[in-house]
Amino acid sequence: SMLTAYDQFSAQAFEAADIEVLLVGDSVGTTVLGYDSTTSTTHQDMLTFTGAVARSVSRPLVVADLAFGTYEAGPAEALRHGVELVRAGAGAVKLEGGAEVAPQVRSLVQAGIPVFGHLGFTPQSVNSLSGHRVQGRDEAGAQKLREDALALQEAGVAAVVLELVPAAVAASVTAALEVPTIGIGAGPDCDGQVLVWQDMAGLSGFRGKFVKTYAELRAQLEQAAGQYRAEVSARAYPGPEHSFE
Ligand code: KIV
């Protein structure tokens, strides 16, 4: 199981829950930093949040996203930015795309950096994919997904994230690969699953079809803040038990 993590306390909670892989996703831009799209997340953002998570946990594998614009130009750029993420504490890096990024994957793997691929809906390409859409619905799209997954495996990826892919297509990609697939909106037959933690825990309010909400943190937080405000207004907080002699 894999969850996103961007900060100390959430990362430590997920480690205590035995989550095996923490993804410092470029979704930090849209879940923490207030950007509209992950295309705005910078390499410096990724270094900052990767460091925060890596310093906070010891057991989970920390995977960090290569930000938009840090690997598309070629293997040398990918390697330079991948090395910086490893220096910040990442145990592996993730990048989006298929056969076209195989040279980047090779250069990272040759340098000893484990790489996760990411296929299907790839958020950094949201502008060319016409929004958040399920990918690989027709046979040509499904075939391209399988070919891209095999090209990534051939280049040396350790795993492939499949995002917003029909369950049957994700199952066929998973069967075709020796490396594990990790699904998000890709059905039950992937080898693992990943969710953005604020969606899973009911903090973001995003309730997409593929998200199961395991807690209602937004409602709890609103309730707690409201009660705090009421008690401050009524001078009921702080009480004697919160005050020094
Ligand atoms: O950045 C992210 O959160 C991701 C997941 C959606 C897999 O890449």
Side-chain angles (χ1 to χ4, degrees):
S1 46
M2 170 155 128
L3 278 176
T4 63
Y6 318 102
D7 71 283
Q8 174 174 236
F9 297 139
S10 62
Q12 287 172 347
F14 303 149
E15 178 173 45
D18 289 331
I19 300 294
E20 293 93 348
V21 186
L22 299 184
L23 172 63
V24 187
D26 56 358
S27 53
V28 68
T30 53
T31 58
V32 176
L33 295 172
Y35 302 147
D36 285 339
S37 157
T38 59
T39 53
S40 296
T41 306
T42 66
H43 182 57
Q44 185 54 54
D45 295 333
M46 292 309 307
L47 292 176
T48 300
F49 289 94
T50 299
V53 170
R55 286 189 292 276
S56 305
V57 297
S58 54
R59 282 181 293 122
L61 171 65
V62 176
V63 181
D65 267 337
L66 279 157
F68 178 61
T70 65
Y71 60 94
E72 295 84 344
E77 279 286 277
L79 183 57
R80 182 165 71 80
H81 291 105
V83 165
E84 288 177 2
L85 289 171
V86 170
R87 287 207 179 110
V93 301
K94 176 167 81 58
L95 80 184
E96 298 182 4
E100 72 282 8
V101 294
Q104 285 87 327
V105 172
R106 270 193 205 94
S107 76
L108 289 157
V109 171
Q110 275 165 14
I113 302 175
V115 180
F116 282 37
H118 186 157
L119 292 172
F121 176 70
T122 44
Q124 293 176 4
S125 306
V126 62
N127 296 327
S128 56
L129 293 175
S130 314
H132 291 69
R133 286 166 189 261
V134 175
Q135 304 293 310
R137 279 199 193 277
D138 59 7
E139 188 38 44
Q143 183 56 26
K144 171 140 181 28
L145 261 177
R146 279 187 291 272
E147 287 168 9
D148 279 335
L150 287 167
L152 290 174
Q153 174 172 274
E154 169 69 23
V157 294
V160 178
V161 170
L162 296 176
E163 180 165 358
L164 297 187
V165 172
V169 175
S172 82
V173 173
T174 301
L177 292 183
E178 283 162 30
V179 297
T181 57
I182 303 175
I184 173 165
D189 293 317
C190 294
D191 297 297
Q193 297 290 331
V194 56
L195 282 174
V196 170
W197 87 259
Q198 293 96 334
D199 299 342
M200 177 280 300
L203 184 61
S204 66
F206 175 67
R207 306 215 181 240
K209 178 176 167 68
F210 61 92
V211 175
K212 181 166 175 184
T213 311
Y214 288 85
E216 293 295 346
L217 291 196
R218 178 68 167 250
Q220 271 191 285
L221 204 50
E222 281 181 17
Q223 194 280 331
Q227 187 177 343
Y228 166 71
R229 182 191 180 284
E231 291 189 7
V232 169
S233 297
R235 297 191 171 277
Y237 173 83
E241 70 275 31
H242 308 114
S243 305
F244 300 102
E245 297 273 308

